[in-house]
Amino acid sequence: MSFENWAAFAAASTILLVIPGPTILLVVSYALGQGWRTALPMAVGVAFGDFTAMTLSMLGIGALLAASATVFTVLKVIGAGYLIYLGVKLFRAGGTLRAEPRLDAVSSAKMMAHAWLVTALNPKSITFFVAFLPQFLDRHGDFWTQMLIFETTFLALAFANAFGYALIAARARNVVRNPRAIRIFNRTGGTLLVGAGIATVAMRSGN
């Protein structure tokens, strides 16, 4: 695996992670209601949830990779289209972040378990990984080495992202509730995702 390929994966993962989905809305809800103490258990739960979904997805991708080069190529093209779809959807999302404060007092263990369940058991998580990961896999490289590198990178970014969202929600609540800030954030992220999808399609066409 080249450094450029890893860097592209890390950059695309960062963009995708910061998009507010069900997991981030849960993190923000807990942080708005209970403050900064939620940051660590929620971030750990999110990381474990992503580890579960990503591992299942990678194993399935590995089976496809071994079975058929054509199927794997088709999956990469579908994944590029999926990135464009996510980008357009995010661009049109507007400036609303629907996260209500959770005021029910729960232990750190229960918060961590809740974050794991929402992240790991969301069918969209596995669908996302199946569509996203093939963009960066080298079919001729060692699959298990790539799996280790990609998972380690993504989980570190997922932990940092969830931790950061929790701290921002707890300390700067006006930011996560500012429609103008959320709108700018969504449109910037959406544009980058569309660009990543188009670049992937162009790269495939040039091969």
Side-chain angles (χ1 to χ4, degrees), residues 19-99:
I19 297 172
T23 297
I24 292 304
L25 293 179
L26 180 69
V27 170
V28 171
S29 293
Y30 270 110
L32 288 174
Q34 302 184 38
W36 63 268
R37 77 177 187 88
T38 65
L40 183 59
M42 294 301 291
V44 171
V46 169
F48 274 118
D50 278 324
F51 171 77
T52 302
M54 194 173 186
T55 299
L56 292 174
S57 302
M58 287 289 281
L59 292 176
I61 291 169
L64 285 175
L65 189 153
S68 170
T70 301
V71 171
F72 188 69
T73 300
V74 169
L75 189 61
K76 294 186 76 168
V77 173
I78 292 173
Y82 185 57
L83 290 179
I84 295 173
Y85 164 76
L86 287 176
V88 172
K89 185 177 180 181
L90 180 62
F91 189 90
R92 299 174 61 186
T96 302
L97 186 62
R98 297 181 177 88

Side-chain angles (χ1 to χ4, degrees), residues 7-187:
F9 171 80
S13 297
T14 300
I15 297 170
L16 289 162
L17 280 167
V18 298
I19 297 172
T23 297
I24 292 304
L25 293 179
L26 180 69
V27 170
V28 171
S29 293
Y30 270 110
L32 288 174
Q34 302 184 38
W36 63 268
R37 77 177 187 88
T38 65
L40 183 59
M42 294 301 291
V44 171
V46 169
F48 274 118
D50 278 324
F51 171 77
T52 302
M54 194 173 186
T55 299
L56 292 174
S57 302
M58 287 289 281
L59 292 176
I61 291 169
L64 285 175
L65 189 153
S68 170
T70 301
V71 171
F72 188 69
T73 300
V74 169
L75 189 61
K76 294 186 76 168
V77 173
I78 292 173
Y82 185 57
L83 290 179
I84 295 173
Y85 164 76
L86 287 176
V88 172
K89 185 177 180 181
L90 180 62
F91 189 90
R92 299 174 61 186
T96 302
L97 186 62
R98 297 181 177 88
E100 297 299 324
R102 296 185 67 96
L103 302 176
D104 48 319
V106 297
S107 67
S108 295
K110 287 185 177 181
M111 278 190 279
M112 186 168 63
H114 195 178
W116 175 81
L117 283 170
V118 170
T119 306
L121 302 185
N122 182 359
K124 291 183 179 179
S125 295
I126 295 178
T127 302
F128 160 72
F129 284 125
V130 170
F132 176 66
L133 289 170
Q135 312 304 312
F136 306 95
L137 282 173
D138 179 2
R139 192 171 190 275
H140 303 290
D142 182 73
F143 173 77
W144 297 106
T145 300
Q146 293 181 82
M147 180 175 175
L148 176 63
I149 293 172
F150 284 148
E151 286 212 25
T152 301
T153 300
F154 193 91
L155 296 180
L157 291 171
F159 177 90
N161 182 64
F163 194 85
Y165 257 111
L167 290 182
I168 291 173
R171 298 294 186 182
R173 302 182 182 192
N174 58 318
V175 174
V176 297
R177 290 183 167 179
N178 186 316
R180 185 170 180 271
I182 297 299
R183 186 179 298 108
I184 293 173
F185 177 79
N186 285 344
R187 289 182 175 178

Side-chain angles (χ1 to χ4, degrees), residues 5 76 135 198-207:
N5 200 40
K76 294 186 76 168
Q135 312 304 312
I198 292 174
T200 302
V201 172
M203 184 172 62
R204 294 302 311 168
S205 300
N207 288 344

